[in-house]
Amino acid sequence: MIQTAFLGDVVLTTPLLTVLAERHGPVDVVTTPAATPLLETHPAVRRVIPYAKRGADRGITGIVRLGRALRAERYAFAYLPHRSLRSATLAIIARIPRRIGFADGWRLLYTGSRQRPATGHEVDRLLALADVASHHQTAPTLGLTAADVAAAEAALRAGGITATFVALAPGSIWGSKRWPHYAALAEQLADRAGIVVVGSAEDVALGEEISTAVGRSGGRCVSLCGQLTLRQSAAVIRKAAVLVTNDSAPLHFAQAVATPTVAIFGPTLPSFGFGPRGPRDRALGVDGLACRPCSAHGPARCPLGHHLCMQSLRVEDVLHAIEETGALHRRD
Ligand code: SF4
């Protein structure tokens, strides 16, 4: 499989990987260096081949070099869930005789194409690539190791988190998808649970803002932004009573580890197919805004300047959604 899309997309591809592994045996996956750790321990995966399409492997030189390396493996099939010209070209250079992609991708470069459902959840749309209408495995999965779990537990202990906690994931690579009220939410929650902030090195300032706010109210908060690997972060989310997140990769991590999720949607909609699916999960957004949704991914900044799709989603609304999950009453 060649899947070089964003981290969240890679996580949502894991049910498809499971189906393909049942059909063909464990799968070799070409993916981004960032997503490599997410797949290298996955039970459906035999080997991960990192492809730095915007780094050391960029341009046609990189495609040809990697394509030749793949050619030596004599693969029989290439599955191409990402509708990318680069991926299709790579499979051709690798001389993979059967290349399966979506009909609305680069159809002329494939030897077999499947209709990508126009609606439904992204997991199910991706499963259509394997001609599977439904499958027992519709939640994403991650191959967390004992070492990942131990590292997560050690980080929580070091941060003084020893009982029920709420995980917050305030980041997103798309600025307009960041809900701006996480610190106020954390202050409100701090007398009921510990607060743990998860995120990348880019989210350190957000984590500090939340920690400072909780500290003011006398609560317990630790920011692990930039301190853990992706799998260790998923292991932290697994231990949380509930995760509050934007429409970003941690949402899909929570789905993979079955943690109740409150997902906040601003410029995008859950109906795009990337929302949480668990019976206790909640997806929130501001209804009635004429400008919403404004793009498929969410722009870096609100093009109208007011960012009402996020600014006007209140802390009370998120607290209510957390109550509806029942998570703070049920898990330790
Ligand atoms: S244009 Fe509307 S939907 Fe888009 S970011 Fe601004 S407020 Fe949100």
Side-chain angles (χ1 to χ4, degrees):
M1 176 185 290
I2 303 174
Q3 172 55 297
T4 62
F6 293 108
L7 286 176
D9 298 302
V10 172
V11 177
L12 293 172
T13 308
T14 55
L16 173 62
L17 279 170
T18 299
V19 169
L20 295 179
E22 288 170 0
R23 187 177 295 171
H24 301 290
V27 180
D28 286 9
V29 186
V30 175
T31 194
T32 63
T36 293
L38 283 179
L39 294 181
E40 62 191 359
T41 55
H42 195 282
V45 174
R46 186 183 73 153
R47 177 182 166 217
V48 182
I49 301 138
Y51 173 30
K53 63 183 183 182
R54 302 196 201 290
D57 301 322
R58 72 179 174 277
I60 192 65
T61 311
I63 294 180
V64 170
R65 187 171 55 231
L66 179 57
R68 286 183 175 150
L70 296 177
R71 194 183 302 167
E73 301 291 330
R74 304 175 68 84
Y75 292 115
F77 291 88
Y79 286 89
L80 303 157
H82 190 204
R83 293 166 291 174
S84 138
L85 176 60
R86 191 189 274 116
S87 297
T89 305
L90 182 59
I92 288 175
I93 293 172
R95 294 189 186 152
I96 300 175
R98 298 185 69 179
R99 303 179 299 278
I100 318 296
F102 284 116
D104 60 347
W106 296 89
R107 191 172 190 160
L108 293 178
L109 303 184
Y110 307 147
T111 60
S113 59
R114 309 282 182 264
Q115 289 299 327
R116 182 180 159 88
T119 58
H121 197 276
E122 180 68 1
V123 163
D124 301 330
R125 296 194 296 234
L126 289 167
L127 282 170
L129 195 63
D131 263 337
V132 176
S134 65
H135 188 261
H136 61 85
Q137 181 62 62
T138 55
T141 47
L142 293 171
L144 302 186
T145 65
D148 296 329
V149 173
E153 290 174 348
L156 291 170
R157 266 196 314 276
I161 303 293
T162 54
T164 300
F165 71 91
V166 175
L168 306 180
S172 168
I173 55 172
W174 313 100
S176 65
K177 288 167 87 171
R178 293 183 205 132
W179 185 55
H181 306 310
Y182 277 97
L185 173 71
E187 270 189 272
Q188 297 272 323
L189 286 168
D191 62 344
R192 299 179 59 197
I195 305 293
V196 176
V197 189
V198 292
S200 69
E202 283 73 46
D203 303 322
V204 166
L206 286 170
E208 284 175 358
E209 180 195 347
I210 294 168
S211 295
T212 302
V214 173
R216 271 199 307 266
S217 64
R220 171 72 64 184
C221 177
V222 60
S223 171
L224 300 174
C225 295
Q227 296 181 30
L228 301 178
T229 67
L230 292 172
R231 295 203 315 265
Q232 290 167 354
S233 295
V236 166
I237 292 171
R238 189 169 78 160
K239 294 193 73 71
V242 59
L243 171 75
V244 184
T245 179
N246 305 318
D247 173 19
S248 61
L251 188 168
H252 310 305
F253 291 179
Q255 297 293 287
V257 298
T259 290
T261 305
V262 173
I264 300 171
F265 288 76
T268 56
L269 301 177
S271 59
F272 287 2
F274 298 87
R277 304 177 95 181
R280 295 163 57 194
D281 298 336
R282 293 293 180 271
L284 298 180
V286 176
D287 294 328
L289 270 184
C291 58
R292 181 173 182 257
C294 67
S295 81
H297 286 297
R301 289 202 175 88
C302 172
L304 301 179
H306 53 58
H307 202 204
L308 277 177
C309 64
M310 284 298 199
Q311 290 287 353
S312 60
L313 188 76
R314 301 171 311 162
V315 169
E316 292 74 24
D317 300 328
V318 178
L319 285 169
H320 180 68
I322 292 170
E323 289 304 326
E324 285 187 329
T325 69
L328 284 181
H329 305 293
R330 294 186 198 170
R331 287 177 71 162
D332 292 317

